[in-house]
Amino acid sequence: MGRVKSILKSWVRCCLYRFPIQKDKIVFINYDGKGYGDNPKYIAEELLQQNLSCKLVWLIKEDCYVPGQIKKVYYYSLSAYKELSTASVIISNCKNNIPYYYKKKENQYYLQTWHGDFALKYIEKEVEDILSKGYVQASKADSSVTDAVLSGNKQFSQILKDSFWLPKQCEILEFGVPRNDVYFKGDEIKNIIKQKYGFSGEDKILLYAPTFRDYDVTSCYNIDFERLRNLLCQLSNENWKVVIRLHPNISSKSGMFCYDKNIQNGSDFADQQELCLISDCLITDYSSIMGDFLLMRKPVFLYAPDLEQYSDKTKGRGLREMYFQLPFSMSRNQIELEWNISQFDKVEYSARLDAFMQDYYCSFDDGHASERVVNHLKEVIGFA
């Protein structure tokens, strides 16, 4: 019975694949169907804002909020296959995001937005020898059908050229990062988002957002957050909350932390950019999320108890030289972290930021990345 069902599905997919492409249809995929967010979200909302007569489709694995003007379709369904087969444009934010059973048509346009442009770690071709053969094979296949990739800064444009196995005809669109547009919208939206997530206007928020480890350990996430929160309250005379947001690769391990009204689990917050916007400072290790705080010129504190192990390319992806030039204080244990926070000097920090941005991080972001992407898509689709 299972074999008959599989043959029937293959036959139906073959039929659906023959459906004609609809010029005005765009399909979005975010982290293999993990909800409404990241760069695809902000591109979709700009399309809605411009009131274009497009059919927008969002692939999901579990039910989640998606604006009513966007059609939700289950990731593994035959309906998803039909939507992909008839889409003029497919927009994805990571490699191997398009369901394995679908092959892109020659006259479809595939835009890869990626999910981070502050590349401190080596990626893709740069670490081909430590990535699984299956991932490398799938990543190369994904790149071979990619028509364009977004870049948020000059440094990342070069990394794309060197490491993404992109075909010669693939464009690198130096438009900026759509999801970063929200950082340029002012304080009014910040207060609205604070209320949305249950914070008061007076609450100060410390965001802890570490990345995952290739060597799969959790002992490096060993901060005493209540002690740290009390220190911040004493230093500033304000009420601080802590939000812990783990990388999607390890978000299932969020239960390793203890939560209460002052220390909250942010791993399931739908939109990382909204969380960054309302946060007042960041503690991270090697995550590209620190680039978001650079753009907003907010304090960042590095907590990296396993720096030697993480930077060793024989054990993981390793770190670029840029990491060791970052304008942030480095802590290897709780005592150092508390000291660096207590000694933070805003004027000195601002000067370090200026020097780093000039020498190492030439960003294209100005709050209009989504607009530039949509204008480009209008040309691709033929709406211009």
Side-chain angles (χ1 to χ4, degrees), residues 54-115:
C54 291
K55 298 172 184 174
L56 307 184
V57 179
W58 201 279
L59 300 192
I60 59 169
K61 284 185 178 175
E62 296 180 357
D63 193 28
C64 63
Y65 167 79
V66 174
Q69 307 96 310
I70 302 176
K71 182 180 180 181
K72 290 190 289 187
V73 176
Y74 181 61
Y75 187 83
Y76 290 119
S77 67
L78 289 174
S79 293
Y81 195 92
K82 179 183 177 183
E83 300 295 352
L84 286 165
S85 295
T86 55
S88 174
V89 175
I90 300 171
I91 298 176
S92 165
N93 72 332
C94 64
K95 291 293 193 74
N96 315 327
N97 222 359
I98 298 178
Y100 67 90
Y101 51 76
Y102 182 75
K103 303 299 179 186
K104 177 198 164 197
K105 294 179 179 178
E106 185 177 343
N107 51 346
Q108 290 180 311
Y109 189 82
Y110 178 31
L111 173 63
Q112 173 63 255
T113 73
W114 202 238
H115 50 271

Side-chain angles (χ1 to χ4, degrees), residues 34-308:
K34 289 184 180 177
Y36 183 62
D38 205 74
N39 288 316
K41 167 186 172 178
Y42 288 91
I43 295 170
E45 295 195 340
E46 179 63 26
L47 284 162
L48 294 176
Q49 177 70 25
Q50 293 195 24
N51 200 28
L52 299 175
S53 56
C54 291
K55 298 172 184 174
L56 307 184
V57 179
W58 201 279
L59 300 192
I60 59 169
K61 284 185 178 175
E62 296 180 357
D63 193 28
C64 63
Y65 167 79
V66 174
Q69 307 96 310
I70 302 176
K71 182 180 180 181
K72 290 190 289 187
V73 176
Y74 181 61
Y75 187 83
Y76 290 119
S77 67
L78 289 174
S79 293
Y81 195 92
K82 179 183 177 183
E83 300 295 352
L84 286 165
S85 295
T86 55
S88 174
V89 175
I90 300 171
I91 298 176
S92 165
N93 72 332
C94 64
K95 291 293 193 74
N96 315 327
N97 222 359
I98 298 178
Y100 67 90
Y101 51 76
Y102 182 75
K103 303 299 179 186
K104 177 198 164 197
K105 294 179 179 178
E106 185 177 343
N107 51 346
Q108 290 180 311
Y109 189 82
Y110 178 31
L111 173 63
Q112 173 63 255
T113 73
W114 202 238
H115 50 271
D117 69 323
F118 196 63
L120 297 167
K121 297 167 281 190
Y122 293 104
I123 55 177
E124 299 292 295
K125 185 178 180 180
E126 298 170 311
V127 285
E128 183 175 355
D129 56 332
I130 69 166
L131 295 172
S132 71
K133 291 183 179 179
Y135 177 85
V136 171
Q137 183 179 6
S139 183
K140 288 180 177 179
D142 186 278
S143 289
S144 70
V145 297
T146 300
D147 295 290
V149 186
L150 291 185
S151 174
N153 60 75
K154 282 289 184 185
Q155 292 80 1
F156 192 61
S157 293
Q158 189 59 50
I159 291 169
L160 288 171
K161 293 173 185 176
D162 293 341
S163 68
F164 267 55
W165 298 295
L166 297 174
K168 288 183 179 179
Q169 67 272 21
C170 179
E171 289 186 278
I172 295 176
L173 305 176
E174 296 183 328
F175 292 166
V177 181
R179 68 183 192 181
N180 290 347
D181 288 347
V182 69
Y183 301 147
F184 297 83
K185 294 189 181 298
D187 288 337
E188 184 176 342
I189 190 171
K190 179 178 177 180
N191 292 329
I192 293 171
I193 294 171
K194 263 192 166 183
Q195 292 177 7
K196 171 182 172 182
Y197 288 110
F199 297 102
S200 74
E202 291 74 36
D203 285 336
K204 306 290 283 186
I205 300 171
L206 164 65
L207 175 61
Y208 175 57
T211 192
F212 68 100
R213 269 62 174 170
D214 291 304
Y215 39 89
D216 194 28
V217 300
T218 58
S219 57
C220 50
Y221 312 123
N222 59 350
I223 298 174
D224 184 333
F225 291 105
E226 183 55 33
R227 193 167 118 177
L228 201 59
R229 193 189 75 83
N230 288 332
L231 172 65
L232 286 165
C233 292
Q234 291 170 13
L235 290 171
S236 66
N237 242 353
E238 295 174 293
N239 185 44
W240 281 81
K241 306 282 189 180
V242 176
V243 178
I244 300 171
R245 183 178 179 87
L246 300 180
H247 188 281
N249 286 4
I250 54 169
S251 58
S252 61
K253 298 180 180 180
S254 60
M256 73 175 110
F257 300 101
C258 296
Y259 305 105
D260 56 31
K261 65 178 183 179
N262 292 318
I263 301 173
Q264 300 185 23
N265 181 3
S267 294
D268 294 328
F269 281 27
D271 191 313
Q272 175 178 292
Q273 274 55 51
E274 290 182 346
L275 183 52
C276 290
L277 180 65
I278 64 174
S279 296
D280 297 281
C281 70
L282 170 73
I283 296 175
T284 188
D285 41 26
Y286 321 105
S287 171
S288 63
I289 196 173
M290 66 181 77
D292 298 44
F293 281 72
L294 264 174
L295 287 173
M296 294 184 285
R297 302 184 68 85
K298 293 180 180 179
V300 177
F301 301 93
L302 300 179
Y303 182 73
D306 58 344
L307 178 60
E308 288 81 9

